[in-house]
Amino acid sequence: VSDAGMMMLGEMGPGPGPDHTEEPFAVAGPDFIAIVGAEVSLDGSSSQAAMTYSWTAVEGPTAILGGADAPRASFTPDTAGDYTFELVVNNGTEDSPADSVTVTAVAADSEDAAVLGLFADLNEAINAYIADQTSANMDVIMALFSDGYLDFGETKDELRAMLEGPDEGLANMHSFNIL
């Protein structure tokens, strides 16, 4: 090996090793809607190069955070409004820039809360069907649609055929989440 070849290797910069640390990157998750009085989970587990976590309430009504030093923190909104939280992660040597998530809390008796409940029920029913493709599980899904809550203009038979279809039906999914 010539000296020139060794020189080039030395000029490539630090590689993965004890002297190289990946830059931390906080991911607080997407903004979402929650119901007043129901526990809310904040999920920063998609953050990168995170050895420590620090969640902070930065805007909105007062919120008491549980697990503020963990990937997943939680709180229970006690009033309607927008709650904004920031997440900073540290890789052992440096902090990431802060990332924020806003949780909009709505009253339990509001129309928004009713829609959230319906979508939660639909998510549960669809995931049950994906795990166990029985007609009983499909009937639960169909009941949610036929109750008039969800109407895409199809007849019940057309909708069932679409959901059970061999190409794009639920049978080919691994999981489902509307929210």
Side-chain angles (χ1 to χ4, degrees):
V1 177
S2 71
D3 288 340
M6 293 189 62
M7 193 85 122
M8 283 179 48
L9 286 175
E11 293 173 2
M12 290 176 68
D19 295 333
H20 179 72
T21 305
E22 188 178 347
E23 187 174 328
F25 186 77
V27 179
D31 297 348
F32 61 96
I33 299 172
I35 299 172
V36 171
E39 185 176 43
V40 174
S41 294
L42 306 175
D43 187 355
S45 63
S46 293
S47 298
Q48 298 174 10
M51 293 179 68
T52 62
Y53 296 79
S54 179
W55 289 96
T56 308
V58 294
E59 197 172 309
T62 302
I64 299 171
L65 276 172
D69 61 349
R72 291 180 177 86
S74 63
F75 79 104
T76 302
D78 59 0
T79 187
D82 291 337
Y83 295 75
T84 301
F85 301 90
E86 285 186 345
L87 173 63
V88 174
V89 297
N90 186 290
N91 64 0
T93 59
E94 67 180 309
D95 286 343
S96 69
D99 189 34
S100 66
V101 59
T102 298
V103 178
T104 300
V106 297
D109 60 354
S110 70
E111 186 175 317
D112 289 335
V115 170
L116 286 175
L118 173 65
F119 284 142
D121 291 346
L122 184 58
N123 285 339
E124 183 178 334
I126 289 174
N127 282 308
Y129 179 78
I130 290 169
D132 183 17
Q133 297 165 18
T134 64
S135 61
N137 282 339
M138 178 55 74
D139 289 343
V140 173
I141 296 169
M142 296 308 299
L144 291 168
F145 281 94
S146 65
D147 285 346
Y149 295 117
L150 303 170
D151 184 5
F152 296 105
E154 292 90 358
T155 67
K156 191 171 180 181
D157 289 338
E158 290 171 332
L159 183 59
R160 181 183 282 274
M162 180 180 69
L163 293 172
E164 291 179 331
D167 296 328
E168 296 161 3
L170 297 175
N172 294 321
M173 294 182 158
H174 298 288
S175 66
F176 182 84
N177 192 357
I178 283 181
L179 299 174

